[in-house]
Amino acid sequence: MLKTSLNIQDKSTWLTKKQPCIIAGPCSVESPEQVLTTAKLIAESGKISMIRGGIWKPRTRPNSFEGVGSVGLKWLKDAGNEVGLPVTTEVANAQHVEECLKNGIDVLWIGARTTVNPFSVQEIAEVLRGVDIPVLIKNPINPDLNLWIGAIERINAVGITKIGAIHRGFSSFDKSSYRNAPMWEIPIELKMLCPNLPIICDPSHISGSTDLIQQVAQKALDMEMDGLMIESHVNPLQAKSDAEQQLTPQALLELLNNLAVREKQSQNKEWINNIEQLRSVIDELDEELINKFASRMAIIEKIGEYKRDNNLTILQLDRWEKILNNRIFLARKVGLSHDFIRKMLELIHQESILIQNKVMNNGENKSEV
Ligand code: PEP
Ligand code: MN
């Protein structure tokens, strides 16, 4: 990993006056009333530092709501003025930045689908040359720390010094309870490489559903992240984007009241914090391992069906030998012991044979497997 030296203004001067820094608001700005009512209800708590709202929405498939466009910038800014809070929105190209600057948007954020593209990030950086505005940079959708740091460096290189990162999780092919896998080890490494860079966690886009947001938000604070970006909508069921993950203002306030904000002062507490961070990473890695095992066993079952339908034996020794040799070679390359990997493979192999036996014994009746 390349070392990086960023020229960053102290976060306490522009971002973390309130600890933790809570950025909340709807996924998308939909109407003047929707953004104003949401802003008023969430700001009542006194715990919110900034109002968010998407104006141009990067949607996975066409023909879904793609945001209200520039007209919504005034609605967002007016809502912020009404509740006395700064506002932030996502920019994906030079024109978005220009429109935001014209409308007095206080903070810009670069979305995950833009961070992946150095051309787009550079285009945004060029229009920001000589402008004094804070920019938050979401992680790229793929788990590539260098790409994330590269985007931060591009924005910093044109003179933007109020910079923060947003951890919103990573796209993964594996089945998981998350919409975007948190992979906590990546923001932790970012923190180690850039200790002055504030990191905000976005538990809404990590979770994808309201039931996981509290635990992800708590984990983020336990990992010493500087704040949270949480989607809240006055009427989530009617939301035009991300309806499943938006909290009502009341649910948001409940979540914030339930958060334990830990101190970071004494040596001992620092030690506890470090241990908690590492344990959280272990929890994540174990969940990933379990999901990988589940994917592996599902494929084993399919192979079992194929063997059954083609009248083949379950145990095929030459294949097993190849697996052993190849996995032991791979394990050695990353410093894992021969004994450990052999024992683990044997366990996996036993379970695989058991699964295929079941498939064979149940004949055509797959539902009983
Ligand atoms: C959003 O914040 O609504 C959004 C589109 O985020 P992301 O770039 O993380 O997908
Ligand atoms: Mn969203």
Side-chain angles (χ1 to χ4, degrees):
M1 179 69 58
L2 283 178
K3 280 235 174 304
T4 182
S5 58
L6 300 170
N7 173 19
I8 293 184
Q9 196 166 315
D10 193 278
K11 58 192 174 196
S12 63
T13 62
W14 63 278
L15 185 72
T16 54
K17 286 184 191 131
K18 258 183 226 153
Q19 295 253 9
C21 166
I22 307 293
I23 303 172
C27 175
S28 300
V29 169
E30 297 168 6
S31 70
E33 299 73 35
Q34 168 252 8
V35 64
L36 179 61
T37 318
T38 308
K40 275 188 176 161
L41 289 170
I42 61 180
E44 265 172 19
S45 67
K47 294 191 171 193
I48 310 292
S49 295
M50 209 181 292
I51 304 289
R52 65 150 282 155
I55 296 290
W56 302 279
K57 299 304 296 177
R59 305 310 297 276
T60 304
R61 307 284 296 265
N63 304 322
S64 19
F65 175 68
E66 293 191 323
V68 292
S70 308
V71 65
L73 291 167
K74 184 173 165 2
W75 308 341
L76 177 63
K77 183 63 191 170
D78 285 351
N81 282 341
E82 184 76 25
V83 298
L85 289 175
V87 295
T88 181
T89 198
E90 173 175 348
V91 290
N93 59 36
Q95 189 215 330
H96 293 167
V97 175
E98 278 160 2
E99 298 276 342
C100 285
L101 296 177
K102 257 192 261 160
N103 283 276
I105 300 302
D106 304 279
V107 173
L108 307 178
W109 93 71
I110 296 180
R113 291 165 188 79
T114 306
T115 309
V116 285
N117 185 346
F119 290 130
S120 303
V121 176
Q122 194 59 41
E123 176 186 320
I124 291 170
E126 292 309 332
V127 280
L128 286 173
R129 210 176 273 282
V131 179
D132 180 21
I133 189 166
V135 181
L136 303 172
I137 298 155
K138 287 202 175 193
N139 64 256
I141 36 183
N142 54 325
D144 184 341
L145 178 56
N146 254 334
L147 197 54
W148 196 2
I149 294 180
I152 295 166
E153 286 172 331
R154 284 176 198 279
I155 299 298
N156 194 217
V158 298
I160 300 286
T161 54
K162 295 169 186 157
I163 291 196
I166 301 180
H167 166 231
R168 51 78 79 196
F170 302 87
S171 210
S172 159
F173 189 63
D174 288 338
K175 269 188 232 143
S176 141
S177 40
Y178 300 107
R179 176 178 178 193
N180 291 293
M183 299 185 181
W184 295 100
E185 64 278 17
I186 295 179
I188 286 182
E189 192 162 351
L190 177 65
K191 202 167 140 96
M192 283 173 182
L193 289 168
C194 318
N196 303 329
L197 180 75
I199 305 184
I200 305 278
C201 179
D202 172 346
S204 304
H205 288 88
I206 289 177
S207 305
S209 64
T210 51
D211 52 338
L212 287 175
I213 299 178
Q214 178 91 53
Q215 77 185 59
V216 173
Q218 185 63 56
K219 210 170 217 177
L221 295 192
D222 293 344
M223 304 252 214
E224 286 188 32
M225 291 207 181
D226 300 279
L228 302 167
M229 179 186 258
I230 303 181
E231 288 186 340
S232 174
H233 190 291
V234 64
N235 187 356
L237 292 176
Q238 299 295 317
K240 294 189 174 166
S241 60
D242 287 350
E244 325 71 53
Q245 71 191 33
Q246 300 208 59
L247 296 172
T248 60
Q250 196 196 353
L252 172 68
L253 301 189
E254 233 164 76
L255 181 148
L256 295 178
N257 287 334
N258 286 332
L259 280 179
V261 182
R262 301 181 217 282
E263 301 283 327
K264 302 179 193 168
Q265 281 146 6
S266 76
Q267 274 303 311
N268 192 24
K269 279 196 178 128
E270 197 172 299
W271 181 84
I272 293 170
N273 276 338
N274 288 342
I275 290 286
E276 270 173 13
Q277 291 190 14
L278 295 173
R279 284 190 176 143
S280 293
V281 176
I282 292 289
D283 291 348
E284 284 315 309
L285 291 173
D286 283 351
E287 186 177 343
E288 272 177 42
L289 281 176
I290 287 169
N291 290 333
K292 294 265 182 214
F293 281 136
S295 307
R296 193 185 194 283
M297 293 310 170
I299 291 180
I300 289 291
E301 197 175 321
K302 280 214 177 78
I303 295 179
E305 285 163 11
Y306 180 81
K307 285 179 181 167
R308 176 196 64 203
D309 297 344
N310 291 279
N311 215 16
L312 298 171
T313 56
I314 292 181
L315 184 63
Q316 294 183 337
L317 274 178
D318 51 339
R319 165 77 181 146
W320 171 231
E321 230 161 72
K322 270 191 205 141
I323 289 186
L324 263 185
N325 291 339
N326 167 268
R327 307 314 188 249
I328 288 171
F329 168 76
L330 292 176
R332 219 179 255 147
K333 269 184 35 180
V334 293
L336 292 172
S337 94
H338 174 286
D339 262 14
F340 165 66
I341 206 73
R342 198 188 165 96
K343 276 187 204 143
M344 203 193 66
L345 283 168
E346 272 163 5
L347 265 179
I348 294 175
H349 191 229
Q350 274 171 23
E351 180 69 11
S352 305
I353 289 185
L354 218 72
I355 288 177
Q356 295 198 352
N357 260 326
K358 272 194 199 158
V359 174
M360 291 281 182
N361 293 337
N362 284 321
E364 293 297 314
N365 190 358
K366 194 170 163 272
S367 63
E368 282 175 29
V369 171

